């Protein structure tokens, strides 16, 4: 699981640099310029995602050192996970649209979607590589939310401002469509596992 661990470390460091160590980010921008820094950040982010995906697939298919069952989820956990993923899909769409009630109430619906996604997958998967991946992403999202709360208090980040309730309707409809696409096709196509199988 070395590649998976390396990818997760790189991802967390890259995506917590701004809130946790803004001085390092500012120094990088000063040295490379903003376009150069953004390009470097993008390349490193893509590299971390590649390592995570490749490392996860390798651990799942080939096993090896560190791969074992941490726990065996009961069957009903899969049903809970599916329900949570429906909520996560709606939150994900809400986070990409102008603010309706969902976005203003949740404040950061994309982070909520990520946390629900990670929790849902922890409920349904007990292999060591799955636990490592989803616990890490869940912890990252929680830490990022805490730092955002501090940035809001300091006036560095603004909360979403309500625009119209129609975006709630769009979030629900599009979120359910996304959820259906994931459950019935995309998850099996991209991940190789059928959620309803």
């Amino acid at each position: 699981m070395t590649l998976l661990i390396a990818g997760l470390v790189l991802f967390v460091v890259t995506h917590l640099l701004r809130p946790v160590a803004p001085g390092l980010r500012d120094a990088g921008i000063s040295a490379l310029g903003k376009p150069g820094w953004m390009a470097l950040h993008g390349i490193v982010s893509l590299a971390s995602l590649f390592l995570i995906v490749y490392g996860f697939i390798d651990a799942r298919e080939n096993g090896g050192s560190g791969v074992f069952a941490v726990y065996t989820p009961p069957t009903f956990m899969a049903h809970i996970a599916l329900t949570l993923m429906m909520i996560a899909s709606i939150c994900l769409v809400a986070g990409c649209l102008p603010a309706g009630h969902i976005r203003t109430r949740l404040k950061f619906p994309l982070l909520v979607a990520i946390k629900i996604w990670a929790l849902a997958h922890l409920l349904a998967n007990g292999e060591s590589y799955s636990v490592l991946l989803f616990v890490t992403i869940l912890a990252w999202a929680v830490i990022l939310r805490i730092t955002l709360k501090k940035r809001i208090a300091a006036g560095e980040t603004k909360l979403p401002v309500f625009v119209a309730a129609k975006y709630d309707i769009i979030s629900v409809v599009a979120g359910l469509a996304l959820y259906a696409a994931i459950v019935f096709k995309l998850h099996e196509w991209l991940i190789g596992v059928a959620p309803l199988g």
Side-chain angles (χ1 to χ4, degrees), residues 94-117:
C96 298
L97 295 173
H101 293 292
I102 296 172
R103 185 169 180 181
T104 52
R105 294 282 174 85
L106 295 179
K107 298 178 183 176
F108 299 102
L110 287 176
L111 279 180
V112 173
I114 291 170
K115 287 187 279 189
I116 294 173
W117 168 82

Side-chain angles (χ1 to χ4, degrees), residues 8-192:
L8 288 170
V9 170
L10 194 59
F11 175 86
V12 170
V13 169
T14 304
H15 290 83
L16 285 181
L17 191 61
R18 179 175 184 175
V20 173
L24 286 176
R25 179 179 180 272
D26 293 341
I29 291 174
S30 295
L32 302 173
K34 190 147 190 183
W37 172 258
M38 295 301 290
L40 177 62
H41 186 274
I43 291 168
V44 174
S45 296
L46 287 174
S48 71
L49 290 175
F50 173 80
L51 287 171
I52 290 169
V53 171
Y54 186 82
F56 185 88
I57 292 171
D58 181 61
R60 184 179 66 187
E61 294 184 355
N62 301 319
S65 177
V67 176
F68 58 91
V70 179
Y71 53 86
T72 303
T75 304
F76 72 86
M77 285 297 189
H79 301 295
I80 296 174
L82 282 168
T83 303
L84 288 173
M85 284 308 300
M86 179 175 62
I87 298 168
S89 298
I90 294 170
C91 292
L92 177 64
V93 174
C96 298
L97 295 173
H101 293 292
I102 296 172
R103 185 169 180 181
T104 52
R105 294 282 174 85
L106 295 179
K107 298 178 183 176
F108 299 102
L110 287 176
L111 279 180
V112 173
I114 291 170
K115 287 187 279 189
I116 294 173
W117 168 82
L119 176 61
H121 284 77
L122 278 172
L123 293 178
N125 299 278
E127 309 87 359
S128 55
Y129 53 87
S130 295
V131 173
L132 176 64
L133 171 62
F134 300 122
V135 165
T136 302
I137 298 300
L138 180 58
W140 164 75
V142 169
I143 293 168
L144 187 58
R145 179 63 182 89
I146 292 169
T147 62
L148 281 171
K149 188 175 181 180
K150 292 179 180 178
R151 290 174 63 196
I152 291 167
E156 298 174 10
T157 300
K158 294 182 179 179
L159 291 171
V161 178
F162 179 80
V163 177
K166 69 179 181 180
Y167 295 112
D168 296 311
I169 298 170
I170 296 171
S171 296
V172 172
V173 173
L176 291 175
L178 174 63
Y179 172 73
I182 291 170
V183 169
F184 292 108
K185 190 63 180 177
L186 291 180
H187 197 280
E188 183 176 9
W189 180 53
L190 293 171
I191 312 298

